[in-house]
Amino acid sequence: MSSTSTASAIDPIAEAAPLSLCAREPHVPADRLVAEMVPPPRFDSVRFATYIPDPNQPSQTEAVGILEAFAAGLGGAHAVGAPKRRLFGRGKAPKTPAGPRGVYLDGGYGVGKTHLLASLWHATPAEPSLKAFGTFVELTNLVGALGFQQTVQTLSGHRLLCIDEFELDDPGDTVLVSTLLGKLVDAGVALAATSNTLPGKLGEGRFAAADFLREIQGLSARFRPLRIDGEDYRHRGLPEAPAPFSDEQVTKAAYATDGASLDDFPHLLGHLARVHPSRYGALTDGVKAVCLTDVQPVPDQSTALRLVVLADRLYDREVPVLASGMPFDRLFSEEMLNGGYRKKYFRAISRLTALARDAKGLVEGREAR
């Protein structure tokens, strides 16, 4: 049964019709794109004090101390006192301080790298407008939306830029971001990063510092690798996705849930192609739950990569996802899961699966009444 026919059978006492992501085409001004580069809601309340080091892993306690000192050192005046115009003016650019101006958090899954990165952002004694936090994908999307030079001008007055999940599987984007970071370091911006492992090394070891420092080439001397030991969750495999609900269950739950959206999955994939990925966060503004009918495998890699970005934004905002059709662990073909972007697809499956578990109560709680 389609969502349209199901909707016509909705109980007359139902609330107003749900939202539709496909009906939204947000236009996000540049200042909002930059203003939203803060730790996502999932990490809004984390601090160094809420990070509980494993007593069997002294490197975790050491990392907290080093990062606290790094944050404290970013207070006061901008590192080089460089007005942004000097990057493009005729005057001689001031020299950057000697020594590392960045930290790289190196460790496996489950050791709390993002927790520590967000804690560093919160602990840095500067106004939020002088600090930026985002994933590698969000940073490349910002360059796509603003252009390279405008991005440099916009971020060069910051004290700190935190980059989570620095992608090592896309040479073109890696060169782009490395060039951007070089400009920002020259302007006195401090950097902090975590990274993904390279595609061919998903099962090898747990550290990626050598790969990261090699990929950023000329910037490597600016980073201090900070190794964080801990249990590696890499070999647990993908969690089993919960069984999908029926179209009727999903549609009724959407009508009964305040702030829920309801969309046909293939139509939503088509709509994502018309919205710049930098706007996917705005696409979900005010949405309390995402309800999808007719989930099916994504047809191509471009579509798959857009879906990965949407999954990240939904996960960051803790928006549950209720779906009918195929389970989320069947979204991507074997070819995709064995290709260069497989790490991104594994992450999307894991995150959508977690959000699907969060959404089960939308149906089960309603049917129990």
Side-chain angles (χ1 to χ4, degrees):
M1 181 184 294
S2 70
S3 58
T4 302
S5 59
T6 304
S8 65
I10 292 297
D11 193 297
I13 65 171
E15 300 295 332
L19 307 168
S20 170
L21 298 183
C22 291
R24 295 180 163 195
E25 294 189 17
H27 295 281
V28 184
D31 57 351
R32 174 177 168 177
L33 288 176
V34 178
E36 289 184 342
M37 291 190 72
V38 298
R42 188 174 290 272
F43 294 98
D44 184 54
S45 62
V46 303
R47 298 293 187 274
F48 288 129
T50 64
Y51 181 80
I52 309 300
D54 183 341
N56 297 317
Q57 304 291 350
S59 64
Q60 295 186 9
T61 300
E62 181 183 7
V64 172
I66 292 173
L67 290 172
E68 286 179 326
F70 185 78
L74 298 179
H78 192 263
V80 295
K84 288 179 277 187
R85 66 177 180 273
R86 289 196 182 182
L87 285 173
F88 308 101
R90 294 182 179 180
K92 185 177 180 180
K95 294 181 180 179
T96 51
R101 286 290 298 163
V103 289
Y104 169 70
L105 310 186
D106 189 24
Y109 298 156
V111 299
K113 297 192 301 296
T114 301
H115 184 136
L116 290 172
L117 190 68
S119 298
L120 173 64
W121 188 93
H122 288 297
T124 297
E127 293 296 321
S129 61
L130 296 178
K131 310 181 280 190
F133 182 106
T135 64
F136 180 89
V137 171
E138 288 176 303
L139 190 58
T140 58
N141 287 340
L142 182 69
V143 175
L146 301 185
F148 184 84
Q149 297 295 349
Q150 182 61 42
T151 303
V152 171
Q153 288 180 313
T154 300
L155 296 179
S156 63
H158 282 54
R159 303 271 177 79
L160 173 69
L161 171 61
C162 295
I163 308 169
D164 199 21
E165 298 175 350
F166 197 105
E167 301 283 2
L168 298 176
D169 55 7
D170 189 318
D173 282 348
T174 299
V175 170
L176 172 70
V177 173
S178 294
T179 304
L180 171 66
L181 297 185
K183 297 286 188 182
L184 297 180
V185 166
D186 287 344
V189 181
L191 307 173
T194 71
S195 79
N196 289 331
T197 51
L198 288 166
K201 299 187 177 182
L202 290 175
E204 300 176 17
R206 68 180 66 177
F207 298 102
D211 295 325
F212 174 78
L213 296 175
R214 181 180 62 251
E215 293 300 318
I216 62 173
Q217 299 176 10
L219 278 175
S220 60
R222 300 293 189 185
F223 279 87
R224 173 182 180 175
L226 190 57
R227 179 163 168 156
I228 306 169
D229 294 285
E231 182 183 357
D232 184 2
Y233 294 94
R234 202 184 321 255
H235 300 294
R236 285 188 175 181
L238 292 172
E240 183 178 354
F245 292 95
S246 68
D247 281 359
E248 182 178 6
Q249 287 173 309
V250 171
T251 304
K252 286 186 175 180
Y255 273 81
T257 303
D258 184 44
S261 65
L262 176 63
D263 291 281
D264 173 73
F265 185 71
H267 290 169
L268 177 60
L269 294 183
H271 184 62
L272 293 180
R274 297 186 289 274
V275 178
H276 193 277
S278 64
R279 301 172 182 171
Y280 287 3
L283 192 69
T284 65
D285 279 353
V287 176
K288 304 302 182 185
V290 167
C291 298
L292 302 171
T293 57
D294 194 24
V295 170
Q296 53 188 263
V298 294
D300 56 72
Q301 191 143 266
S302 295
T303 303
L305 292 173
R306 287 191 289 267
L307 180 61
V308 167
V309 177
L310 179 64
D312 286 343
R313 300 293 78 75
L314 294 173
Y315 184 79
D316 288 344
R317 289 160 175 76
E318 300 179 306
V319 179
V321 179
L322 188 70
S324 67
M326 287 189 171
F328 288 131
D329 56 8
R330 295 171 60 186
L331 279 173
F332 306 109
S333 68
E334 287 297 320
E335 181 179 4
M336 291 179 184
L337 293 178
N338 290 323
Y341 296 111
R342 62 187 182 186
K343 176 68 180 298
K344 295 183 180 182
Y345 301 146
F346 288 154
R347 184 178 77 232
I349 292 171
S350 178
R351 291 183 167 184
L352 288 171
T353 295
L355 296 177
R357 289 201 179 99
D358 293 343
K360 290 175 67 176
L362 299 179
V363 171
E364 294 174 351
R366 182 178 184 276
E367 293 181 343
R369 292 198 297 267

